[in-house]
Amino acid sequence: MSEVRQKAELAGKAAAALGSLTTDKKNEALLSAAKALVENSEAIIAANREDLQRGRENGTSESLLDRLALNQDRIAGIAEGLRQIAELPDPVGDVLETIDRPNGLHIVKQRVPLGVIGIIYEARPNVTVDAVGLCLKTGNAVVLRGGSSALSSNRKIVEIIHEALATTAIPQDAVQLIEDPNRSSVDEMLKLNGLLDVVIPRGGSSLIQNVVQNATVPVIETGAGICHTYLDATADPEMAAAISLNAKVQRPSVCNAMETLLVHQDFAGQHLADLAERFKDAKVELRGCDATRNILPWAKQATDEDYATEYNDYILNIKVVSNLDEALAHIASFGTKHSECIVTADGQNAARFQQEVDAAAVYHNASTRFTDGFEFGFGAEIGISTQKLHARGPMGLPALTSTKYIIHGNGQIRQ
Amino acid sequence: MSEVRQKAELAGKAAAALGSLTTDKKNEALLSAAKALVENSEAIIAANREDLQRGRENGTSESLLDRLALNQDRIAGIAEGLRQIAELPDPVGDVLETIDRPNGLHIVKQRVPLGVIGIIYEARPNVTVDAVGLCLKTGNAVVLRGGSSALSSNRKIVEIIHEALATTAIPQDAVQLIEDPNRSSVDEMLKLNGLLDVVIPRGGSSLIQNVVQNATVPVIETGAGICHTYLDATADPEMAAAISLNAKVQRPSVCNAMETLLVHQDFAGQHLADLAERFKDAKVELRGCDATRNILPWAKQATDEDYATEYNDYILNIKVVSNLDEALAHIASFGTKHSECIVTADGQNAARFQQEVDAAAVYHNASTRFTDGFEFGFGAEIGISTQKLHARGPMGLPALTSTKYIIHGNGQIRQ
């Protein structure tokens, strides 16, 4: 039997036991794992050094090496993340609905774990621990397939977690790491219907698209965001500047950063030149439509391809629109249904924008950068779902659960 | 452009308009369609006659022809179904959660339509109308791909619905019928990421498996059910007989019917012989384990293949188990996580069974046949989900919705 199938089966057996554990037992295990990771920092850093060494030999970029690198501080932060997950309320067992039927049946809809969750991710060892914490807290077993260039780190981390679990109520088999570095092990995971209840990809768009295109198991798609901010005619200029600058430059590399600024022609005429200076000062390259370039002749020409690009960088498209309808139409054409914002003093326009824009998060007078499980107060985040099934937008712990109907009868039969 | 892509795009444009319609407007359209179907019964029956004729020439079985056949009564029933959907509460716009953040952000989580729903089904024209009703009520556009042997009926039904919609607020393009009878049109639908928000297969297991195995768009899997009833040592003999007979013979062809009866050895010793007589009287063929055949020497031998088969027929496996653990283990091995039942007077065993069995619906002292949207009081049913993502068990109208976060700010930016 292949490594993938064998480990998924072991995870499945562990999942059956995990479902009935109390919250306290699960929290004890998370805290025990957190403690073990800190105590074994040196061993983790040594393993991580092997990965970094191999990465440098293979010419991995500095930014990727930085995401791979672990040190005492980072490990402490990762362990602290586990402790925070332990603090959060446990959604498992929550009663979502009770139904009493005329025939006397009493139906209880209850949250239960999903079962076995596959996580496919890049060379970021912090995701290993984060995924373990989120899955175990919600009573799920987890099958991890991290980027092969973090294999030494992941192996050591999972070894330490396994040791920590040995003295807790959570079976060690609830955490499985796929060590096969070949792409075929990912492909196999994606077809494990009946063994994996869901696969969640975490990473860049090529990783996510590979999962979406090839999985036969259910997937929660996360990721891509071409987000817009629309400055309406009545937008307060200072608020408009603050929100749009924040949406672009506070962290350009993330999915909820703005890629295109839509500007009402009246606002543009009065304020776009000033606003553009502030983007320039922030080192943002501007690409504009014809009307934008009438005001900012130094800006590059924006093409439809630009409007369809997630830059994740210090580049911004600007398009002047004649009214709200044109802004809505642009977002409908180029948006990825992630996060969209209107800045306006006009309540009716705000209401229409928030009603008509089809996206996970639609803002009035606030930065799109808030689309995040922590910012929404969930206390944790598995990712930001960009699909409409199961979960949409930032996903907290409940997104890692399913439901079950428990029906109490006294002999009812169907007529 | 292919028919499939063209119609999906039209549906997508219609969906944008549908999302903001009031419940009244949607209900008016459903009632108008119901009226038109009844008024045009003759034309539908004439079109249906063409399908039946073609079916007979192609040697279609009588049972399939019966599912395909329409008459005045059936059309009246189908139209009545639309009126019932109009009566149901509209889930769209429901506020599921509000969050107030320390920074003043006010976050509202609201139900919204999924968008465009693809329905892939067999030669059952009633599903055409049912799917249209459920999707339109929830503000979704629908792309229908019914079995090609019902094409004349479906074409006429959709033509009548289009005419009826012309005088309502729902755009005609919200209902699309794929007429291409080739399998390739199904394959194309399954890959329409970005145009279809979900595909729901409705039909037999080969249809469902084709969708699950080949779709890259999100799928809600419905269908297969290998359901068990476990008669515990303390089960009341009369209740045990009533529930197990009902679960098997009230309608053997459906997914929530019982396929295997698990019997505690103590119960079996006292009552299995009597119970078996009642199954025999009901024309049920019995296949048993060795212990069963000690009591019922005339029963056939049950194999593991039998335990793994959804008969949907007057055939039942019986297995004698020595305790609850063995029953749970059998269900974990052979169940399809659909509907499972324990009959017992022992509250602890009932609680353990309902906690540990991993299935959409777990019954204590009631027939598995109740797993159904109407029986659960939902007033409608799109199907019974056998997956754990998004919806599990009987799906009412809320299963055809997604959510959106609407965020009200006054200039918040992320630090």
Side-chain angles (χ1 to χ4, degrees), chain B residues 271-298:
Chain B
H271 308 292
L272 184 55
D274 288 348
L275 181 55
E277 289 303 316
R278 294 174 68 171
F279 276 108
K280 222 171 155 185
D281 292 346
K283 317 270 183 235
V284 177
E285 176 192 321
L286 300 183
R287 303 185 184 177
C289 66
D290 291 344
T292 300
R293 296 178 73 231
N294 282 340
I295 301 169
L296 313 170
W298 47 270

PDB file of all heavy atoms in Angstrom, chain B residues 271-298:
ATOM      1  N   HIS B 271     -35.881 -13.712  19.359  1.00  0.00           N
ATOM      2  CA  HIS B 271     -36.879 -13.121  18.464  1.00  0.00           C
ATOM      3  C   HIS B 271     -36.588 -13.205  16.976  1.00  0.00           C
ATOM      4  O   HIS B 271     -37.455 -12.873  16.175  1.00  0.00           O
ATOM      5  CB  HIS B 271     -37.068 -11.628  18.822  1.00  0.00           C
ATOM      6  CG  HIS B 271     -37.360 -11.379  20.265  1.00  0.00           C
ATOM      7  ND1 HIS B 271     -38.543 -11.767  20.852  1.00  0.00           N
ATOM      8  CD2 HIS B 271     -36.621 -10.787  21.235  1.00  0.00           C
ATOM      9  CE1 HIS B 271     -38.524 -11.419  22.137  1.00  0.00           C
ATOM     10  NE2 HIS B 271     -37.356 -10.831  22.402  1.00  0.00           N
ATOM     11  N   LEU B 272     -35.368 -13.618  16.594  1.00  0.00           N
ATOM     12  CA  LEU B 272     -35.048 -13.524  15.166  1.00  0.00           C
ATOM     13  C   LEU B 272     -35.923 -14.442  14.308  1.00  0.00           C
ATOM     14  O   LEU B 272     -36.315 -14.066  13.195  1.00  0.00           O
ATOM     15  CB  LEU B 272     -33.556 -13.796  14.921  1.00  0.00           C
ATOM     16  CG  LEU B 272     -33.087 -13.625  13.474  1.00  0.00           C
ATOM     17  CD1 LEU B 272     -33.435 -12.243  12.928  1.00  0.00           C
ATOM     18  CD2 LEU B 272     -31.575 -13.852  13.352  1.00  0.00           C
ATOM     19  N   ALA B 273     -36.228 -15.627  14.812  1.00  0.00           N
ATOM     20  CA  ALA B 273     -37.033 -16.558  14.014  1.00  0.00           C
ATOM     21  C   ALA B 273     -38.393 -15.950  13.681  1.00  0.00           C
ATOM     22  O   ALA B 273     -38.836 -15.974  12.521  1.00  0.00           O
ATOM     23  CB  ALA B 273     -37.192 -17.878  14.773  1.00  0.00           C
ATOM     24  N   ASP B 274     -39.040 -15.340  14.687  1.00  0.00           N
ATOM     25  CA  ASP B 274     -40.338 -14.706  14.438  1.00  0.00           C
ATOM     26  C   ASP B 274     -40.220 -13.545  13.454  1.00  0.00           C
ATOM     27  O   ASP B 274     -41.026 -13.406  12.538  1.00  0.00           O
ATOM     28  CB  ASP B 274     -40.934 -14.155  15.749  1.00  0.00           C
ATOM     29  CG  ASP B 274     -41.411 -15.276  16.653  1.00  0.00           C
ATOM     30  OD1 ASP B 274     -41.489 -16.433  16.171  1.00  0.00           O
ATOM     31  OD2 ASP B 274     -41.684 -15.000  17.833  1.00  0.00           O
ATOM     32  N   LEU B 275     -39.177 -12.720  13.694  1.00  0.00           N
ATOM     33  CA  LEU B 275     -38.992 -11.548  12.837  1.00  0.00           C
ATOM     34  C   LEU B 275     -38.754 -11.965  11.384  1.00  0.00           C
ATOM     35  O   LEU B 275     -39.306 -11.377  10.445  1.00  0.00           O
ATOM     36  CB  LEU B 275     -37.806 -10.729  13.370  1.00  0.00           C
ATOM     37  CG  LEU B 275     -37.451  -9.440  12.641  1.00  0.00           C
ATOM     38  CD1 LEU B 275     -38.661  -8.507  12.540  1.00  0.00           C
ATOM     39  CD2 LEU B 275     -36.298  -8.724  13.345  1.00  0.00           C
ATOM     40  N   ALA B 276     -37.968 -13.028  11.221  1.00  0.00           N
ATOM     41  CA  ALA B 276     -37.662 -13.496   9.870  1.00  0.00           C
ATOM     42  C   ALA B 276     -38.933 -13.913   9.133  1.00  0.00           C
ATOM     43  O   ALA B 276     -39.064 -13.685   7.921  1.00  0.00           O
ATOM     44  CB  ALA B 276     -36.664 -14.646   9.929  1.00  0.00           C
ATOM     45  N   GLU B 277     -39.864 -14.517   9.868  1.00  0.00           N
ATOM     46  CA  GLU B 277     -41.131 -14.910   9.229  1.00  0.00           C
ATOM     47  C   GLU B 277     -41.848 -13.691   8.657  1.00  0.00           C
ATOM     48  O   GLU B 277     -42.446 -13.750   7.588  1.00  0.00           O
ATOM     49  CB  GLU B 277     -42.050 -15.624  10.236  1.00  0.00           C
ATOM     50  CG  GLU B 277     -41.580 -17.020  10.621  1.00  0.00           C
ATOM     51  CD  GLU B 277     -41.420 -17.949   9.411  1.00  0.00           C
ATOM     52  OE1 GLU B 277     -42.329 -17.944   8.541  1.00  0.00           O
ATOM     53  OE2 GLU B 277     -40.384 -18.647   9.322  1.00  0.00           O
ATOM     54  N   ARG B 278     -41.787 -12.612   9.405  1.00  0.00           N
ATOM     55  CA  ARG B 278     -42.487 -11.408   8.939  1.00  0.00           C
ATOM     56  C   ARG B 278     -41.811 -10.825   7.695  1.00  0.00           C
ATOM     57  O   ARG B 278     -42.487 -10.323   6.792  1.00  0.00           O
ATOM     58  CB  ARG B 278     -42.574 -10.373  10.065  1.00  0.00           C
ATOM     59  CG  ARG B 278     -43.478 -10.913  11.188  1.00  0.00           C
ATOM     60  CD  ARG B 278     -43.527 -10.050  12.401  1.00  0.00           C
ATOM     61  NE  ARG B 278     -44.192  -8.764  12.158  1.00  0.00           N
ATOM     62  CZ  ARG B 278     -44.512  -7.906  13.125  1.00  0.00           C
ATOM     63  NH1 ARG B 278     -44.261  -8.206  14.399  1.00  0.00           N
ATOM     64  NH2 ARG B 278     -45.093  -6.763  12.846  1.00  0.00           N
ATOM     65  N   PHE B 279     -40.475 -10.892   7.648  1.00  0.00           N
ATOM     66  CA  PHE B 279     -39.796 -10.448   6.419  1.00  0.00           C
ATOM     67  C   PHE B 279     -40.153 -11.373   5.254  1.00  0.00           C
ATOM     68  O   PHE B 279     -40.355 -10.924   4.130  1.00  0.00           O
ATOM     69  CB  PHE B 279     -38.273 -10.402   6.630  1.00  0.00           C
ATOM     70  CG  PHE B 279     -37.809  -9.119   7.270  1.00  0.00           C
ATOM     71  CD1 PHE B 279     -37.377  -9.089   8.592  1.00  0.00           C
ATOM     72  CD2 PHE B 279     -37.805  -7.925   6.554  1.00  0.00           C
ATOM     73  CE1 PHE B 279     -36.965  -7.899   9.178  1.00  0.00           C
ATOM     74  CE2 PHE B 279     -37.394  -6.732   7.130  1.00  0.00           C
ATOM     75  CZ  PHE B 279     -36.975  -6.718   8.454  1.00  0.00           C
ATOM     76  N   LYS B 280     -40.221 -12.658   5.541  1.00  0.00           N
ATOM     77  CA  LYS B 280     -40.583 -13.635   4.510  1.00  0.00           C
ATOM     78  C   LYS B 280     -41.978 -13.322   3.964  1.00  0.00           C
ATOM     79  O   LYS B 280     -42.187 -13.296   2.748  1.00  0.00           O
ATOM     80  CB  LYS B 280     -40.567 -15.029   5.148  1.00  0.00           C
ATOM     81  CG  LYS B 280     -39.949 -16.121   4.297  1.00  0.00           C
ATOM     82  CD  LYS B 280     -39.814 -17.374   5.159  1.00  0.00           C
ATOM     83  CE  LYS B 280     -39.807 -18.631   4.344  1.00  0.00           C
ATOM     84  NZ  LYS B 280     -39.786 -19.821   5.225  1.00  0.00           N
ATOM     85  N   ASP B 281     -42.905 -13.048   4.877  1.00  0.00           N
ATOM     86  CA  ASP B 281     -44.266 -12.711   4.444  1.00  0.00           C
ATOM     87  C   ASP B 281     -44.276 -11.463   3.565  1.00  0.00           C
ATOM     88  O   ASP B 281     -45.134 -11.316   2.690  1.00  0.00           O
ATOM     89  CB  ASP B 281     -45.170 -12.450   5.661  1.00  0.00           C
ATOM     90  CG  ASP B 281     -45.426 -13.721   6.463  1.00  0.00           C
ATOM     91  OD1 ASP B 281     -45.135 -14.818   5.923  1.00  0.00           O
ATOM     92  OD2 ASP B 281     -45.881 -13.621   7.620  1.00  0.00           O
ATOM     93  N   ALA B 282     -43.327 -10.590   3.823  1.00  0.00           N
ATOM     94  CA  ALA B 282     -43.260  -9.353   3.034  1.00  0.00           C
ATOM     95  C   ALA B 282     -42.426  -9.548   1.771  1.00  0.00           C
ATOM     96  O   ALA B 282     -42.042  -8.574   1.116  1.00  0.00           O
ATOM     97  CB  ALA B 282     -42.680  -8.221   3.881  1.00  0.00           C
ATOM     98  N   LYS B 283     -42.134 -10.814   1.450  1.00  0.00           N
ATOM     99  CA  LYS B 283     -41.417 -11.174   0.209  1.00  0.00           C
ATOM    100  C   LYS B 283     -39.973 -10.682   0.192  1.00  0.00           C
ATOM    101  O   LYS B 283     -39.423 -10.356  -0.863  1.00  0.00           O
ATOM    102  CB  LYS B 283     -42.125 -10.621  -1.048  1.00  0.00           C
ATOM    103  CG  LYS B 283     -43.631 -10.776  -1.063  1.00  0.00           C
ATOM    104  CD  LYS B 283     -44.006 -12.101  -1.714  1.00  0.00           C
ATOM    105  CE  LYS B 283     -45.527 -12.263  -1.806  1.00  0.00           C
ATOM    106  NZ  LYS B 283     -45.967 -13.525  -1.160  1.00  0.00           N
ATOM    107  N   VAL B 284     -39.360 -10.563   1.346  1.00  0.00           N
ATOM    108  CA  VAL B 284     -37.965 -10.128   1.407  1.00  0.00           C
ATOM    109  C   VAL B 284     -37.057 -11.350   1.438  1.00  0.00           C
ATOM    110  O   VAL B 284     -37.232 -12.250   2.268  1.00  0.00           O
ATOM    111  CB  VAL B 284     -37.699  -9.268   2.653  1.00  0.00           C
ATOM    112  CG1 VAL B 284     -36.225  -8.871   2.745  1.00  0.00           C
ATOM    113  CG2 VAL B 284     -38.592  -8.032   2.643  1.00  0.00           C
ATOM    114  N   GLU B 285     -36.099 -11.385   0.518  1.00  0.00           N
ATOM    115  CA  GLU B 285     -35.103 -12.451   0.508  1.00  0.00           C
ATOM    116  C   GLU B 285     -34.080 -12.157   1.597  1.00  0.00           C
ATOM    117  O   GLU B 285     -33.572 -11.035   1.695  1.00  0.00           O
ATOM    118  CB  GLU B 285     -34.407 -12.483  -0.861  1.00  0.00           C
ATOM    119  CG  GLU B 285     -33.279 -13.499  -0.923  1.00  0.00           C
ATOM    120  CD  GLU B 285     -32.416 -13.327  -2.162  1.00  0.00           C
ATOM    121  OE1 GLU B 285     -32.956 -13.034  -3.248  1.00  0.00           O
ATOM    122  OE2 GLU B 285     -31.177 -13.460  -2.026  1.00  0.00           O
ATOM    123  N   LEU B 286     -33.766 -13.156   2.416  1.00  0.00           N
ATOM    124  CA  LEU B 286     -32.833 -12.928   3.525  1.00  0.00           C
ATOM    125  C   LEU B 286     -31.489 -13.597   3.246  1.00  0.00           C
ATOM    126  O   LEU B 286     -31.426 -14.728   2.762  1.00  0.00           O
ATOM    127  CB  LEU B 286     -33.419 -13.468   4.828  1.00  0.00           C
ATOM    128  CG  LEU B 286     -34.745 -12.843   5.274  1.00  0.00           C
ATOM    129  CD1 LEU B 286     -35.188 -13.419   6.620  1.00  0.00           C
ATOM    130  CD2 LEU B 286     -34.638 -11.326   5.366  1.00  0.00           C
ATOM    131  N   ARG B 287     -30.416 -12.859   3.554  1.00  0.00           N
ATOM    132  CA  ARG B 287     -29.066 -13.416   3.460  1.00  0.00           C
ATOM    133  C   ARG B 287     -28.421 -13.218   4.829  1.00  0.00           C
ATOM    134  O   ARG B 287     -28.417 -12.094   5.345  1.00  0.00           O
ATOM    135  CB  ARG B 287     -28.254 -12.687   2.392  1.00  0.00           C
ATOM    136  CG  ARG B 287     -28.931 -12.746   1.022  1.00  0.00           C
ATOM    137  CD  ARG B 287     -28.088 -12.135  -0.069  1.00  0.00           C
ATOM    138  NE  ARG B 287     -28.867 -12.152  -1.316  1.00  0.00           N
ATOM    139  CZ  ARG B 287     -28.447 -11.640  -2.465  1.00  0.00           C
ATOM    140  NH1 ARG B 287     -27.244 -11.071  -2.533  1.00  0.00           N
ATOM    141  NH2 ARG B 287     -29.192 -11.693  -3.557  1.00  0.00           N
ATOM    142  N   GLY B 288     -27.882 -14.283   5.389  1.00  0.00           N
ATOM    143  CA  GLY B 288     -27.426 -14.171   6.770  1.00  0.00           C
ATOM    144  C   GLY B 288     -25.993 -14.613   6.994  1.00  0.00           C
ATOM    145  O   GLY B 288     -25.404 -15.333   6.189  1.00  0.00           O
ATOM    146  N   CYS B 289     -25.451 -14.184   8.145  1.00  0.00           N
ATOM    147  CA  CYS B 289     -24.153 -14.670   8.593  1.00  0.00           C
ATOM    148  C   CYS B 289     -24.354 -16.088   9.152  1.00  0.00           C
ATOM    149  O   CYS B 289     -25.474 -16.592   9.228  1.00  0.00           O
ATOM    150  CB  CYS B 289     -23.582 -13.744   9.657  1.00  0.00           C
ATOM    151  SG  CYS B 289     -24.558 -13.754  11.183  1.00  0.00           S
ATOM    152  N   ASP B 290     -23.271 -16.722   9.582  1.00  0.00           N
ATOM    153  CA  ASP B 290     -23.377 -18.098  10.081  1.00  0.00           C
ATOM    154  C   ASP B 290     -24.347 -18.186  11.249  1.00  0.00           C
ATOM    155  O   ASP B 290     -25.190 -19.092  11.304  1.00  0.00           O
ATOM    156  CB  ASP B 290     -21.995 -18.611  10.506  1.00  0.00           C
ATOM    157  CG  ASP B 290     -21.077 -18.802   9.300  1.00  0.00           C
ATOM    158  OD1 ASP B 290     -21.608 -18.841   8.159  1.00  0.00           O
ATOM    159  OD2 ASP B 290     -19.852 -18.895   9.487  1.00  0.00           O
ATOM    160  N   ALA B 291     -24.230 -17.251  12.183  1.00  0.00           N
ATOM    161  CA  ALA B 291     -25.097 -17.303  13.364  1.00  0.00           C
ATOM    162  C   ALA B 291     -26.564 -17.132  12.956  1.00  0.00           C
ATOM    163  O   ALA B 291     -27.464 -17.752  13.540  1.00  0.00           O
ATOM    164  CB  ALA B 291     -24.693 -16.217  14.368  1.00  0.00           C
ATOM    165  N   THR B 292     -26.793 -16.310  11.971  1.00  0.00           N
ATOM    166  CA  THR B 292     -28.162 -16.131  11.475  1.00  0.00           C
ATOM    167  C   THR B 292     -28.679 -17.445  10.889  1.00  0.00           C
ATOM    168  O   THR B 292     -29.812 -17.864  11.142  1.00  0.00           O
ATOM    169  CB  THR B 292     -28.193 -15.034  10.384  1.00  0.00           C
ATOM    170  OG1 THR B 292     -27.720 -13.817  10.953  1.00  0.00           O
ATOM    171  CG2 THR B 292     -29.606 -14.835   9.834  1.00  0.00           C
ATOM    172  N   ARG B 293     -27.797 -18.087  10.121  1.00  0.00           N
ATOM    173  CA  ARG B 293     -28.226 -19.315   9.431  1.00  0.00           C
ATOM    174  C   ARG B 293     -28.384 -20.485  10.400  1.00  0.00           C
ATOM    175  O   ARG B 293     -29.047 -21.466  10.072  1.00  0.00           O
ATOM    176  CB  ARG B 293     -27.272 -19.628   8.280  1.00  0.00           C
ATOM    177  CG  ARG B 293     -27.342 -18.497   7.214  1.00  0.00           C
ATOM    178  CD  ARG B 293     -26.386 -18.717   6.073  1.00  0.00           C
ATOM    179  NE  ARG B 293     -26.828 -19.781   5.197  1.00  0.00           N
ATOM    180  CZ  ARG B 293     -26.079 -20.804   4.824  1.00  0.00           C
ATOM    181  NH1 ARG B 293     -24.833 -20.891   5.268  1.00  0.00           N
ATOM    182  NH2 ARG B 293     -26.556 -21.728   4.033  1.00  0.00           N
ATOM    183  N   ASN B 294     -27.788 -20.370  11.583  1.00  0.00           N
ATOM    184  CA  ASN B 294     -28.088 -21.386  12.605  1.00  0.00           C
ATOM    185  C   ASN B 294     -29.553 -21.293  13.015  1.00  0.00           C
ATOM    186  O   ASN B 294     -30.200 -22.301  13.305  1.00  0.00           O
ATOM    187  CB  ASN B 294     -27.209 -21.185  13.844  1.00  0.00           C
ATOM    188  CG  ASN B 294     -25.801 -21.708  13.600  1.00  0.00           C
ATOM    189  OD1 ASN B 294     -25.593 -22.523  12.695  1.00  0.00           O
ATOM    190  ND2 ASN B 294     -24.852 -21.241  14.399  1.00  0.00           N
ATOM    191  N   ILE B 295     -30.061 -20.051  13.042  1.00  0.00           N
ATOM    192  CA  ILE B 295     -31.458 -19.849  13.431  1.00  0.00           C
ATOM    193  C   ILE B 295     -32.375 -19.992  12.228  1.00  0.00           C
ATOM    194  O   ILE B 295     -33.486 -20.508  12.336  1.00  0.00           O
ATOM    195  CB  ILE B 295     -31.619 -18.454  14.082  1.00  0.00           C
ATOM    196  CG1 ILE B 295     -30.709 -18.360  15.318  1.00  0.00           C
ATOM    197  CG2 ILE B 295     -33.067 -18.177  14.460  1.00  0.00           C
ATOM    198  CD1 ILE B 295     -30.581 -16.967  15.898  1.00  0.00           C
ATOM    199  N   LEU B 296     -31.894 -19.515  11.062  1.00  0.00           N
ATOM    200  CA  LEU B 296     -32.696 -19.530   9.839  1.00  0.00           C
ATOM    201  C   LEU B 296     -31.954 -20.321   8.775  1.00  0.00           C
ATOM    202  O   LEU B 296     -31.342 -19.748   7.865  1.00  0.00           O
ATOM    203  CB  LEU B 296     -32.904 -18.098   9.327  1.00  0.00           C
ATOM    204  CG  LEU B 296     -33.336 -17.026  10.333  1.00  0.00           C
ATOM    205  CD1 LEU B 296     -33.255 -15.648   9.696  1.00  0.00           C
ATOM    206  CD2 LEU B 296     -34.750 -17.318  10.817  1.00  0.00           C
ATOM    207  N   PRO B 297     -32.000 -21.651   8.856  1.00  0.00           N
ATOM    208  CA  PRO B 297     -31.175 -22.462   7.938  1.00  0.00           C
ATOM    209  C   PRO B 297     -31.534 -22.223   6.477  1.00  0.00           C
ATOM    210  O   PRO B 297     -30.717 -22.462   5.593  1.00  0.00           O
ATOM    211  CB  PRO B 297     -31.504 -23.902   8.345  1.00  0.00           C
ATOM    212  CG  PRO B 297     -32.294 -23.832   9.608  1.00  0.00           C
ATOM    213  CD  PRO B 297     -32.809 -22.456   9.771  1.00  0.00           C
ATOM    214  N   TRP B 298     -32.728 -21.759   6.223  1.00  0.00           N
ATOM    215  CA  TRP B 298     -33.161 -21.535   4.840  1.00  0.00           C
ATOM    216  C   TRP B 298     -32.613 -20.233   4.240  1.00  0.00           C
ATOM    217  O   TRP B 298     -32.736 -20.004   3.037  1.00  0.00           O
ATOM    218  CB  TRP B 298     -34.690 -21.525   4.758  1.00  0.00           C
ATOM    219  CG  TRP B 298     -35.337 -20.678   5.832  1.00  0.00           C
ATOM    220  CD1 TRP B 298     -35.734 -21.083   7.066  1.00  0.00           C
ATOM    221  CD2 TRP B 298     -35.637 -19.286   5.746  1.00  0.00           C
ATOM    222  NE1 TRP B 298     -36.265 -20.035   7.782  1.00  0.00           N
ATOM    223  CE2 TRP B 298     -36.222 -18.911   6.978  1.00  0.00           C
ATOM    224  CE3 TRP B 298     -35.471 -18.308   4.759  1.00  0.00           C
ATOM    225  CZ2 TRP B 298     -36.637 -17.614   7.255  1.00  0.00           C
ATOM    226  CZ3 TRP B 298     -35.887 -17.019   5.033  1.00  0.00           C
ATOM    227  CH2 TRP B 298     -36.461 -16.680   6.279  1.00  0.00           C
TER     228      TRP B 298
END
